[in-house]
Amino acid sequence: MNAMILLNTLMPGQVVLEYSYLLSAIMFVIGLKLQSHPETARKGNFWAASGMILPMITTLILNRNGEGEGIGLVNVIAILLIISAGTVVGAIMARKVKMTAMPQMVSFFNATGGAASAAVALIEYIKNPGQAVLVGLLGLVVGSIAFSGSMIAYGKLDGKVGDIFSKVMTYVNLIFMAVIVIVILLVLFGGFDVQSRTYLVYGLLVLSLVYGVSFVMPIGGADMPVVISLLNSLTGIAAAMAGFIYQNEAMILGGILVGAAGTILTLQMCKAMNRSLINVIIGSFGGGGASHADVQGSIKEITLSDAAVLLSYSQKVVIIPGYGLAVAQAQHIAHELDSLLGSKGVEVKYAIHPVAGRMPGHMNVLLAEADVPYEQLVEMDDINPDMPNVDVAIVVGANDVVNPAAYDDPGSPIYGMPIIDAHLAKNIIIMKRGMGKGYAGIENFLFFNDKTRMLFGDAKGTMTKLVSEIKSM
Ligand code: NAP
């Protein structure tokens, strides 16, 4: 009822504007829903992007300030020029980026989102220095942390920035956090004159930027996807804060949705890696986990021709892709292999672990790029009950996500992590270059299993030879 009264008192243009914001929020939700499945993800992107464009257009045309003035032609032209420049740069980057460099790009884009939110908060403060409000200061802090933290994450993923593992950093970061809170309280309640308060706000900006760096520096490079997801949710929260400053519902709703989706993704990734968020942030991972069990059995290899025969005379084959598939860029040849086996009447499926590779949905994206039909991709929970009926499990560049230590070895860092039950298949073929460890840096007993045969070599090269071998049979 109140909302109706409010809408009736608004000018018609304002009413259209408010409805366009509501519509945009609905489009974001539809977009998110569609993005949750690979088959509909592209459509989801389209819906979310349209949900972004709609309020931009209506705001440019219909937005009025307190005196009823619009944005003004000069401003509109300036805004359109800037949007066009951003669109061109973004489109070129997205087209050029290699699939393996996707996490870096996401991180870079996230940094720009954080910077934009921090800039909004700072500009609003400069416009009204007498009126420092909590949401403005939080927008500045969260946006700055998201910006500098994402830039460091980008540098780490791109191999330009190294890790600084030190427990001291945990304490340094706690001190940073405490100082930031104190400065916020001083700005709000310290009773300072406008100039001193402005200095404090600039100090807050610098502190937050430095904190973003020191927060991400000690986190291991391979943990970056979790951190990026966390920073992404921070960017959403910063955007929502900026929305509160402008009293813009589209920004508030969009920001909250990004914040919530980012938080859920962060927690889901932690769960799939069997780690707590605190453990990701504070502890470094990998590089020799303390496993208590001794390796039993020996490594046995298989020749290409034996592998070709085994696969051709199987009924059910499951390909389990992992990070090595991405490194080798073996997705296209994997699809050729599955089609070839399919033409011989073999049922071939792909088993998808939620954290296989180095970013959420990594395997889905790679296999979609190679046009593997979505029906062939089966989630871990759905394929595991069927694994005992599988004739051959082909593990392509995967390691941790098939390591039975997750079940058997309470001393292992991955103990309790859900895995794909490759060890239950009747035969297991492992394709990897050598005895290199995975992300967790631990031994994998699956390689020593009696049913396992190793096919050493780069995944793409090995599979190319395997395909020729099967064809020549
Ligand atoms: P992984 O445990 O990192 O193992 C990858 C394996 O691929 C390595 O053992 C390596 O062995 C092999 N490899 C590398 N290059 C290869 C090539 N060119 N050809 C063939 N093999 C190659 O990978 P995963 O099983 O996919 O597990 C992912 C890990 O990353 C999990 O521990 C997960 O928790 C973690 N993680 C995932 C995410 C995510 O969002 N997906 C985020 C953060 C962390 P060789 O060196 O012997 O070849």
Side-chain angles (χ1 to χ4, degrees), residues 221-226 269 272-275 285 321-330 353-363 395-402 414 417 431-441 447 456-460 462:
D223 271 341
M224 279 305 117
V226 184
M269 281 165 81
M273 289 160 70
N274 193 35
R275 300 175 61 198
F285 194 56
Y323 178 59
L325 180 101
V327 177
Q329 286 293 293
H353 191 283
V355 291
R358 290 291 183 271
M359 64 174 182
H362 204 166
M363 297 302 119
V395 178
V396 187
N399 193 338
D400 296 343
V401 300
V402 289
I414 63 160
M417 169 175 142
M431 291 186 190
K432 66 203 294 288
R433 295 164 308 177
M435 289 306 288
K437 301 204 163 82
Y439 160 71
F447 305 158
F456 287 121
D458 171 76
K460 189 174 175 180
T462 310

Side-chain angles (χ1 to χ4, degrees), residues 224-243:
M224 279 305 117
V226 184
V227 176
I228 290 167
S229 173
L230 182 68
L231 291 169
N232 184 241
S233 63
L234 288 186
T235 305
I237 293 165
M241 305 274 181

